[in-house]
Amino acid sequence: MERVLIERVVTDRAKRRIEKLKQVHCLLSILLFIITLIFCSYTASDLKLINISLSHYGIYNKIGAIWNASLFIVGITLFVEAYINIKKYALHKGLRYLFGISIICLLLTASIDMTHQIHFYTAYIYFIGFTLGMFLFGFNLIKIDFRIGITSIILSVVSVLCPVLITMYLHSFAIPELTHTALIFNWVIITRYDNHYKNFLKKLRL
């Protein structure tokens, strides 16, 4: 009996440590992307975000490999978080394929530079696919967890409208791409810390 209790305690501790590692991995990946963006902006000072797309960093000699590596890390993180969310809320497994295809397209976008036309196709598929995944995730979740569900839907809609409107105004892609990325990061953080987020909304009586 005592041995069983000890094993349970050890198992519970291991689970808590794994959960903390997942949370740290999520935040570190986002932080790494932000640091990489700052580094690339500083190193490639002749490339102005307002005039370029982020893909220009991928073909810049000094920083291309660093930028593309950061996209790989972000892509893997996004897939892991999406997979965990689908499993946590026991949603339709088809969402895994949608998120999976989107992330594969992001990785292909990082692997194939913008001198090839397919680079833009994979980027568009990632943009549409991941955003659609967020929307369907929220739609399927509304009856189970209304706050997270409606938040996912709102973020998915905003992550389409804002980049499109910014693109129409600026006629460039880097700022819209960063806006879309920031909204996705918000979704990842909210779903990762869903209990804290819901408690915050409750305090606001939402």
Side-chain angles (χ1 to χ4, degrees):
M1 184 69 178
E2 184 178 348
R3 183 178 178 182
V4 172
L5 290 172
I6 292 172
E7 288 178 352
R8 285 181 180 176
V9 170
V10 171
T11 302
D12 289 340
R13 286 179 179 175
K15 287 181 178 178
R16 286 197 295 270
R17 287 178 181 176
I18 291 171
E19 187 61 29
K20 287 181 179 179
L21 283 173
K22 289 178 181 177
Q23 293 178 355
V24 170
H25 171 262
C26 166
L27 294 176
L28 283 178
S29 297
I30 294 173
L31 181 61
L32 177 64
F33 178 81
I34 294 170
I35 292 172
T36 303
L37 176 63
I38 294 171
F39 171 78
C40 290
S41 299
Y42 176 78
T43 305
S45 56
D46 53 320
L47 298 178
K48 304 299 180 183
L49 285 173
I50 200 168
N51 298 322
I52 65 168
S53 70
L54 294 179
S55 297
H56 282 87
Y57 286 146
I59 60 173
Y60 199 89
N61 291 332
K62 297 179 181 178
I63 58 174
I66 296 173
W67 176 256
N68 291 328
S70 74
L71 291 185
F72 264 88
I73 294 171
V74 168
I76 293 169
T77 300
L78 292 181
F79 178 75
V80 169
E81 292 300 318
Y83 180 86
I84 290 172
N85 287 331
I86 294 166
K87 189 176 180 180
K88 179 168 62 177
Y89 294 105
L91 299 179
H92 194 280
K93 291 182 179 180
L95 280 172
R96 296 179 187 176
Y97 298 109
L98 180 56
F99 281 115
I101 291 169
S102 303
I103 296 306
I104 289 171
C105 286
L106 176 61
L107 299 181
L108 287 173
T109 303
S111 303
I112 305 169
D113 65 54
M114 64 184 298
T115 59
H116 300 86
Q117 192 67 29
I118 194 173
H119 170 92
F120 300 99
Y121 295 142
T122 56
Y124 291 141
I125 294 172
Y126 158 70
F127 174 82
I128 295 169
F130 201 93
T131 307
L132 180 60
M134 287 169 56
F135 180 86
L136 294 175
F137 173 87
F139 183 79
N140 285 284
L141 193 60
I142 281 183
K143 293 182 179 179
I144 303 171
D145 192 324
F146 180 80
R147 288 185 175 89
I148 299 298
I150 197 67
T151 298
S152 297
I153 290 174
I154 291 171
L155 283 174
S156 66
V157 172
V158 174
S159 68
V160 171
L161 292 178
C162 279
V164 169
L165 292 173
I166 294 171
T167 302
M168 291 171 64
Y169 178 75
L170 293 178
H171 303 291
S172 64
F173 291 101
I175 303 300
E177 287 168 344
L178 288 174
T179 302
H180 182 259
T181 302
L183 289 165
I184 286 178
F185 283 166
N186 270 285
W187 179 73
V188 168
I189 293 171
I190 286 170
T191 52
R192 166 56 64 183
Y193 299 94
D194 53 349
N195 289 328
H196 295 287
Y197 175 71
K198 287 184 284 188
N199 289 335
F200 173 72
L201 291 182
K202 287 176 184 177
K203 289 179 181 179
L204 298 177
R205 298 183 179 180
L206 295 174

